Amino acid sequence: MNTVIRGKVWTFGDNVNSESIMATGTDFDPAKAAKTSLCHYDKEFPTKVKPGDIIVAGRNFGCSSSRPAARALKFLGVAAILCESSGAIFYRNTWNIGVPILECPGISKMFNKGDEAEVDVSTGFIKNLTTGATVQAEKPIPLLLERWAAGGMIEWVKSRRDQYDTLK
Amino acid sequence: MAGHSATEKILALRSGKKEVFPGDVVVCDVDGIFVHSPWFFLSYWKEIGGVKRCFDPDKLILGLGHHVCLPADNRYANDLLEARKAAEKYGFKHLYDMGTGNGHIIMLEKGHVRSGYVYVGADSHSTIYGALGAFGTPTSYEVAEILLSGKAWFKVPSTVRVTMEAQPMKGVCARDVAQYVLATVGADGALMKSLDFSGSYIHSLSIYQRMIFSLLSVEMGAITGFIEPDEITRKFMDGRVRNPYEIVYNDPDCVFEKEWFVDVSKVEPMIACPPRPALTERVADIEKKDIKVHQAYIGGCTGSSVEDFEMAAEILRGRSIHPDTRLIIVPGTQDILKDMQRKGLIEFFTELGAIISPPYCGPCQLCCYGHLGEEEVMIGTHPRNQPGRAGVNGGIYLASPYTVAASAICGKITDPRRFL
């Protein structure tokens, strides 16, 4: 499986909260939420983000509410999230929704908005193709890589139905 | 070798291991799952297809009345209808419907949480279950899978500790101390950690006031907010929990990754300013900014107990609400509402001209009512003020029932000590 992703970077700061990615009042419908996703922090984002783009963010990205916020980002085609650190629930949700999220101290200083990034999700190796800078992110645990590779939690469960008495 | 924290010990117990260490990945048996919006996991179940049942219908607690006390639109009404039909189809045993109140408090009041076990919630505030010495943590999207397997994975967190000693000055309560802790630890100071609260102060508090600390742990990034059980915890659980509990303590020689000490006697009234709960200042400093308050709200996961309303009443007695301010009273649960009635608090707030709401989690976000007009300011005892929840407006401030009551009297953010 190809685990290398390349894309154009959008940058965000620290403590970007999940409600700003998927706002209350959008019924948590990914398509509706996508219309205002992250606009509180970057007005251009919801209209100008392109499938395959990558988010580079600061500390505690996706903190606060447990809503499945990454579904809005998946709807917009965001291919990966690279951050200094991530909110705990957002981190679990995002991998399970099928979007890779890598924690990498120092990452926010390494990218400017519009740079080209390359990341190998399985190894956590990140390159800034615009500047040539490289960095090693924390390696994700095998369980999450497995779920991501399956296409997210739902597909992962479907691929191992025989493991569940509740599906028999 | 150093001993283990209570969190490590609970995770070892529930994953069938002799001991576990921070960084280990474990798969634990789950003793309870709290869900307020079951239509999410039901839609994921539909995508999975062929779901016959949940692993144990006794372990799922549906708090339909958490976000709403009554549906404000057809979409929500239909979601609720779907949830009730699903509960019947799958035989879910615990369904708390409209008017029952805040699901997290119900989880504790109705005996669904016991010391020493693992609880997950679809809501981020599920760290609250640590108030009874359990491991409680949010998992959200994965609830759909946990309901099928009965198991949840965790990367064992390291434990950090906040030790609080002494008693607060007049006009300062648990919410102020908790806000002070938030400011000290920071929005990500306990990120992915287990946050342990210790010291004489936390053990002097009722379970309802302890809940504030465990719940707000998530605003410091923690995955759980653990408080070692004591006599107060036992008394609270006895007569409520149906299954035996297992009290788990921190080993005396366990090492905390980081520790903060708080002298509670020095804490002044504190207030969280927009855009996040950890952005906390002294009320005395914010008061100088002359911030007009349009909506004052007492309720929410962190301020809807009888004690919270008593504190507010202490300030409001013999005074009146400012004509430009509306005061909303939202009892946490039906049990709390009944207790308020017995104590004359409902009559008191009604006479005062406050808006009395049925129990639910309140206008912490726009699920039901209490929307703000542009430029309007709200001050409340609820846990959150981030953008995208109840709008951005003129700003949402979070404070103690004392401060909210004092601000309702003056129509602007006010230090409550002038009224005590």
Side-chain angles (χ1 to χ4, degrees), chain A residues 85-119:
Chain A
S85 61
S86 162
I89 321 161
F90 185 80
Y91 185 81
R92 290 184 81 122
N93 278 350
T94 300
W95 280 104
N96 278 284
I97 285 164
V99 179
I101 174 165
L102 293 159
E103 293 186 301
C104 182
I107 190 86
S108 55
K109 286 199 182 76
M110 215 178 94
F111 284 94
N112 289 310
K113 188 176 174 181
D115 283 357
E116 196 81 6
E118 181 184 282
V119 52

Side-chain angles (χ1 to χ4, degrees), chain A residues 1 3 15 18-19 46 62-63 66 76 87 89 93 98 126 132 134 149 160-161:
Chain A
M1 184 191 176
T3 59
N15 299 310
S18 62
E19 296 95 333
C63 60
S66 68
L76 290 166
I89 321 161
N93 278 350
I126 298 167
T134 62
R160 53 199 292 285
R161 307 185 69 90

Side-chain angles (χ1 to χ4, degrees), chain A residues 14-20 22-29 32 40-41 59-61 63-68 71 74 85-89 91-93 96-98 103 138-139 141-144 147 152-158 160-161 164-168, chain B residues 25 36 40 43-45 47-56 73 75 121-125 137-149 152-155 187-188 191-192 218-223 275-276 365-367 384 386-390 392:
Chain A
D14 295 338
N15 299 310
V16 169
N17 60 305
S18 62
E19 296 95 333
S20 70
M22 177 176 261
T24 302
T26 61
D27 304 343
F28 298 167
D29 171 350
K32 274 194 217 169
H40 185 76
Y41 297 101
R59 283 155 49 192
N60 208 12
F61 188 72
C63 60
S64 194
S65 161
S66 68
R67 64 200 59 200
R71 294 188 82 201
K74 192 179 184 181
S85 61
S86 162
I89 321 161
Y91 185 81
R92 290 184 81 122
N93 278 350
N96 278 284
I97 285 164
E103 293 186 301
E138 206 173 299
K139 233 179 126 180
I141 64 167
L143 176 85
L144 291 176
R147 289 187 182 184
M153 176 194 76
I154 290 169
E155 294 307 316
W156 180 78
V157 172
K158 283 162 86 172
R160 53 199 292 285
R161 307 185 69 90
Y164 295 89
D165 291 340
T166 46
L167 295 178
K168 286 173 193 160
Chain B
V25 176
H36 49 48
F40 288 104
S43 77
Y44 308 147
W45 274 12
E47 284 183 57
I48 290 167
V51 174
K52 300 288 185 293
R53 57 190 178 87
C54 105
F55 82 103
D56 182 350
D73 57 35
R75 203 261 319 165
D123 187 89
S124 58
H125 292 133
T137 197
T139 55
S140 184
Y141 191 74
E142 285 170 274
V143 155
E145 196 278 336
I146 297 167
L147 284 168
L148 299 176
S149 64
W153 70 271
F154 302 105
K155 191 171 177 183
D188 62 351
L191 193 60
M192 307 259 187
V218 71
E219 304 305 338
M220 295 171 263
I223 62 169
R276 76 185 68 91
Q365 56 179 335
L366 304 178
C367 293
R384 283 207 171 120
Q386 288 95 334
R389 288 180 71 81
V392 175

Side-chain angles (χ1 to χ4, degrees), chain B residues 245-295:
Chain B
Y245 49 80
E246 192 173 346
I247 290 188
V248 177
Y249 299 104
N250 293 301
D251 284 340
D253 58 342
C254 92
V255 177
F256 297 100
E257 194 185 76
K258 197 168 180 185
E259 202 165 352
W260 294 270
F261 295 92
V262 176
D263 178 353
V264 174
S265 70
K266 299 227 161 62
V267 175
E268 292 187 50
M270 303 299 285
I271 185 165
C273 301
R276 76 185 68 91
L279 195 64
T280 297
E281 308 277 354
R282 293 184 323 140
V283 178
D285 293 333
I286 299 302
E287 189 186 73
K288 290 179 198 143
K289 294 186 178 172
D290 253 345
I291 298 167
K292 193 174 159 83
V293 168
H294 305 84
Q295 183 160 296

Side-chain angles (χ1 to χ4, degrees), chain B residues 352-404:
Chain B
L352 200 65
I355 302 156
I356 318 275
S357 161
Y360 82 113
C361 80
C364 181
Q365 56 179 335
L366 304 178
C367 293
C368 201
Y369 56 71
H371 295 40
L372 297 170
E374 278 184 44
E375 294 165 35
E376 281 199 322
V377 169
M378 171 161 78
I379 185 169
T381 57
H382 58 297
R384 283 207 171 120
N385 61 347
Q386 288 95 334
R389 288 180 71 81
V392 175
N393 316 86
I396 295 166
Y397 294 80
L398 314 172
S400 77
Y402 288 136
T403 302
V404 174

